[in-house]
PDB file of all heavy atoms in Angstrom:
ATOM      1  N   ALA W 734       7.641  11.607  75.857  1.00 93.00           N
ATOM      2  CA  ALA W 734       6.192  11.738  75.580  1.00 93.00           C
ATOM      3  C   ALA W 734       5.333  11.174  76.719  1.00 93.00           C
ATOM      4  O   ALA W 734       4.125  11.085  76.599  1.00 93.00           O
ATOM      5  CB  ALA W 734       5.799  11.054  74.259  1.00 93.00           C
ATOM      6  N   GLY W 735       5.998  10.818  77.792  1.00 76.00           N
ATOM      7  CA  GLY W 735       5.191  10.372  78.969  1.00 76.00           C
ATOM      8  C   GLY W 735       4.730   8.936  78.768  1.00 76.00           C
ATOM      9  O   GLY W 735       4.895   8.370  77.700  1.00 76.00           O
ATOM     10  N   PRO W 736       4.149   8.389  79.813  1.00 74.00           N
ATOM     11  CA  PRO W 736       3.700   7.016  79.767  1.00 74.00           C
ATOM     12  C   PRO W 736       2.880   6.654  78.573  1.00 74.00           C
ATOM     13  O   PRO W 736       1.932   7.412  78.285  1.00 74.00           O
ATOM     14  CB  PRO W 736       2.949   6.797  81.099  1.00 74.00           C
ATOM     15  CG  PRO W 736       3.485   7.828  81.996  1.00 74.00           C
ATOM     16  CD  PRO W 736       3.835   9.038  81.098  1.00 74.00           C
ATOM     17  N   ALA W 737       3.191   5.660  77.891  1.00 71.00           N
ATOM     18  CA  ALA W 737       2.498   5.186  76.702  1.00 71.00           C
ATOM     19  C   ALA W 737       2.210   6.351  75.702  1.00 71.00           C
ATOM     20  O   ALA W 737       1.103   6.415  75.105  1.00 71.00           O
ATOM     21  CB  ALA W 737       1.207   4.506  77.047  1.00 71.00           C
ATOM     22  N   PHE W 738       3.171   7.232  75.601  1.00 83.00           N
ATOM     23  CA  PHE W 738       3.116   8.364  74.661  1.00 83.00           C
ATOM     24  C   PHE W 738       1.962   9.279  74.805  1.00 83.00           C
ATOM     25  O   PHE W 738       1.441   9.773  73.865  1.00 83.00           O
ATOM     26  CB  PHE W 738       3.119   7.771  73.189  1.00 83.00           C
ATOM     27  CG  PHE W 738       4.009   6.598  72.905  1.00 83.00           C
ATOM     28  CD1 PHE W 738       3.649   5.645  72.025  1.00 83.00           C
ATOM     29  CD2 PHE W 738       5.240   6.551  73.561  1.00 83.00           C
ATOM     30  CE1 PHE W 738       4.526   4.555  71.784  1.00 83.00           C
ATOM     31  CE2 PHE W 738       6.145   5.510  73.305  1.00 83.00           C
ATOM     32  CZ  PHE W 738       5.753   4.461  72.407  1.00 83.00           C
ATOM     33  N   ARG W 739       1.532   9.474  76.040  1.00 80.00           N
ATOM     34  CA  ARG W 739       0.323  10.321  76.292  1.00 80.00           C
ATOM     35  C   ARG W 739       0.518  11.801  76.077  1.00 80.00           C
ATOM     36  O   ARG W 739      -0.443  12.561  75.917  1.00 80.00           O
ATOM     37  CB  ARG W 739      -0.238  10.065  77.674  1.00 80.00           C
ATOM     38  CG  ARG W 739      -1.315   8.940  77.596  1.00 80.00           C
ATOM     39  CD  ARG W 739      -2.234   8.998  78.878  1.00 80.00           C
ATOM     40  NE  ARG W 739      -1.487   8.761  80.119  1.00 80.00           N
ATOM     41  CZ  ARG W 739      -1.326   7.535  80.621  1.00 80.00           C
ATOM     42  NH1 ARG W 739      -1.802   6.525  79.986  1.00 80.00           N
ATOM     43  NH2 ARG W 739      -0.621   7.353  81.695  1.00 80.00           N
ATOM     44  N   ARG W 740       1.797  12.239  76.155  1.00 81.00           N
ATOM     45  CA  ARG W 740       2.051  13.699  75.992  1.00 81.00           C
ATOM     46  C   ARG W 740       2.892  13.945  74.820  1.00 81.00           C
ATOM     47  O   ARG W 740       4.134  14.204  74.953  1.00 81.00           O
ATOM     48  CB  ARG W 740       2.653  14.270  77.284  1.00 81.00           C
ATOM     49  CG  ARG W 740       1.701  14.291  78.447  1.00 81.00           C
ATOM     50  CD  ARG W 740       2.329  15.151  79.608  1.00 81.00           C
ATOM     51  NE  ARG W 740       3.684  14.734  79.909  1.00 81.00           N
ATOM     52  CZ  ARG W 740       4.029  13.725  80.733  1.00 81.00           C
ATOM     53  NH1 ARG W 740       3.117  12.953  81.265  1.00 81.00           N
ATOM     54  NH2 ARG W 740       5.266  13.491  80.949  1.00 81.00           N
ATOM     55  N   PRO W 741       2.324  13.855  73.641  1.00 80.00           N
ATOM     56  CA  PRO W 741       3.210  14.038  72.421  1.00 80.00           C
ATOM     57  C   PRO W 741       3.503  15.486  72.241  1.00 80.00           C
ATOM     58  O   PRO W 741       2.979  16.343  72.966  1.00 80.00           O
ATOM     59  CB  PRO W 741       2.210  13.590  71.296  1.00 80.00           C
ATOM     60  CG  PRO W 741       0.886  13.734  71.814  1.00 80.00           C
ATOM     61  CD  PRO W 741       0.914  13.652  73.314  1.00 80.00           C
ATOM     62  N   GLY W 742       4.382  15.784  71.303  1.00 87.00           N
ATOM     63  CA  GLY W 742       4.609  17.123  70.961  1.00 87.00           C
ATOM     64  C   GLY W 742       5.830  17.771  71.623  1.00 87.00           C
ATOM     65  O   GLY W 742       6.189  18.950  71.312  1.00 87.00           O
ATOM     66  N   HIS W 743       6.562  17.126  72.439  1.00 93.00           N
ATOM     67  CA  HIS W 743       7.814  17.602  73.047  1.00 93.00           C
ATOM     68  C   HIS W 743       8.733  18.005  71.904  1.00 93.00           C
ATOM     69  O   HIS W 743       8.916  17.211  70.926  1.00 93.00           O
ATOM     70  CB  HIS W 743       8.432  16.560  73.914  1.00 93.00           C
ATOM     71  CG  HIS W 743       9.605  17.042  74.723  1.00 93.00           C
ATOM     72  ND1 HIS W 743      10.862  17.299  74.185  1.00 93.00           N
ATOM     73  CD2 HIS W 743       9.733  17.385  76.044  1.00 93.00           C
ATOM     74  CE1 HIS W 743      11.658  17.726  75.096  1.00 93.00           C
ATOM     75  NE2 HIS W 743      11.045  17.822  76.239  1.00 93.00           N
ATOM     76  N   GLN W 744       9.370  19.121  71.993  1.00 95.00           N
ATOM     77  CA  GLN W 744      10.120  19.616  70.855  1.00 95.00           C
ATOM     78  C   GLN W 744      11.591  19.032  70.767  1.00 95.00           C
ATOM     79  O   GLN W 744      12.338  19.473  69.912  1.00 95.00           O
ATOM     80  CB  GLN W 744      10.183  21.170  70.922  1.00 95.00           C
ATOM     81  CG  GLN W 744       8.809  21.795  70.589  1.00 95.00           C
ATOM     82  CD  GLN W 744       8.224  21.335  69.328  1.00 95.00           C
ATOM     83  OE1 GLN W 744       8.814  21.546  68.279  1.00 95.00           O
ATOM     84  NE2 GLN W 744       7.085  20.652  69.389  1.00 95.00           N
ATOM     85  N   GLY W 745      11.869  18.173  71.716  1.00 96.00           N
ATOM     86  CA  GLY W 745      13.282  17.649  71.749  1.00 96.00           C
ATOM     87  C   GLY W 745      14.156  18.529  72.512  1.00 96.00           C
ATOM     88  O   GLY W 745      13.772  19.600  73.014  1.00 96.00           O
ATOM     89  N   THR W 746      15.466  18.176  72.562  1.00 97.00           N
ATOM     90  CA  THR W 746      16.434  18.833  73.471  1.00 97.00           C
ATOM     91  C   THR W 746      17.716  19.126  72.756  1.00 97.00           C
ATOM     92  O   THR W 746      18.663  18.377  72.874  1.00 97.00           O
ATOM     93  CB  THR W 746      16.712  17.918  74.708  1.00 97.00           C
ATOM     94  OG1 THR W 746      15.490  17.374  75.232  1.00 97.00           O
ATOM     95  CG2 THR W 746      17.354  18.710  75.812  1.00 97.00           C
TER      96      THR W 746
END
Side-chain angles (χ1 to χ4, degrees):
F738 317 146
R739 266 201 295 274
R740 290 191 309 277
H743 189 285
Q744 292 304 300
T746 316

